[in-house]
Amino acid sequence: MKEDDVDGIRNGEALAVARALNLIDARTTQDRDKATAILNELSGKKSSEKAVRVGLTGAPGAGKSSLVDSIIGEVRKRRLTIGIVAVDPSSATTGGALLADRIRAKRGVGDSGVFFRSMAERGRLGGIASATRATVEVLASAYDWVIVETVGVGQSEIEVANLVDTLVYVAQPGAGDILQYMKAGLLELPDIFAVNKADLG
């Protein structure tokens, strides 16, 4: 583990961040050992405590990715940097994932102050992938803001609450009555409820 690699992450160098995240997501023991060494170094420097961590959850189509795009714009107006990790559902048939969130979040394209990481949940329940927690730690060491967008497929996407300072539940009009939200098990967790697409009726 090179000190330069850790310093690169702390300085927000996209290449260093991407290399670390590739190691975290790798399957070989050697790569995972390298990832653990990176995380230990970052933890020892306490550099991740500065980051604002925000989680977004909600049903598909509620507008989470569009909200991420707006947040990117506001954060960059303040000359702050931002790292986003978006978790997409994996196909039960092929195991693949569309990873389409970055298509909707267009404001970060070509901006060195914005880092976007998509990942497939690979059948894991809870709305995040197994590598999400470690990914957040790396991003929080590199950027001023970290956004975690969950799979958002229903009633069990609550694990993100343990990774962030602020949890936002994104809802849209006509998505059900109050009993539906109470049944979802999400009502006690969010710090902010964002009603999106109100202009659509």
Side-chain angles (χ1 to χ4, degrees):
M1 176 64 224
K2 294 185 198 175
E3 185 69 23
D4 289 350
D5 292 337
V6 173
D7 287 341
I9 293 169
R10 295 178 69 211
N11 291 329
E13 295 174 12
L15 188 57
V17 171
R19 275 198 300 254
L21 298 188
N22 287 341
L23 290 172
I24 287 169
D25 211 26
R27 308 222 174 182
T28 68
T29 302
Q30 184 179 12
D31 285 340
R32 296 212 170 181
D33 287 345
K34 290 178 182 177
T36 300
I38 290 172
L39 292 169
N40 287 340
E41 282 287 322
L42 293 174
S43 174
K45 294 179 184 292
K46 300 292 184 185
S47 53
S48 65
E49 294 180 358
K50 65 171 186 174
V52 176
R53 306 178 189 211
V54 178
L56 296 180
T57 191
K64 297 187 297 296
S65 299
S66 298
L67 183 56
V68 167
D69 191 46
S70 296
I71 292 172
I72 291 171
E74 290 301 314
V75 169
R76 294 302 287 144
K77 276 182 191 176
R78 302 175 192 179
R79 301 184 181 277
L80 299 173
T81 57
I82 183 168
I84 303 104
V85 53
V87 186
D88 277 304
S90 300
S91 167
T93 304
T94 67
L98 183 56
L99 305 178
D101 300 270
R102 68 175 65 208
I103 297 172
R104 294 191 181 94
K106 299 175 182 175
R107 299 192 198 203
V109 175
D111 186 341
S112 61
V114 179
F115 185 93
F116 209 110
R117 180 75 170 192
S118 296
M119 59 176 53
E121 49 88 19
R122 295 174 180 166
R124 187 177 188 273
L125 295 177
I128 59 175
S130 58
T132 304
R133 180 180 295 277
T135 297
V136 168
E137 290 306 312
V138 172
L139 294 180
S141 296
Y143 303 103
D144 300 307
W145 277 60
V146 176
I147 303 291
V148 182
E149 182 185 340
T150 72
V151 170
V153 292
Q155 300 178 355
S156 63
E157 288 65 51
I158 60 175
E159 195 170 338
V160 66
N162 298 320
L163 304 182
V164 299
D165 306 310
T166 303
L167 181 61
V168 181
Y169 184 83
V170 185
Q172 65 187 54
D177 59 19
I178 188 63
L179 293 177
Q180 288 292 107
Y181 286 108
M182 291 172 70
K183 186 174 73 171
L186 287 166
L187 213 59
E188 304 102 337
L189 295 173
D191 303 289
I192 298 171
F193 284 86
V195 180
N196 210 359
K197 302 186 179 182
D199 56 316
L200 300 183

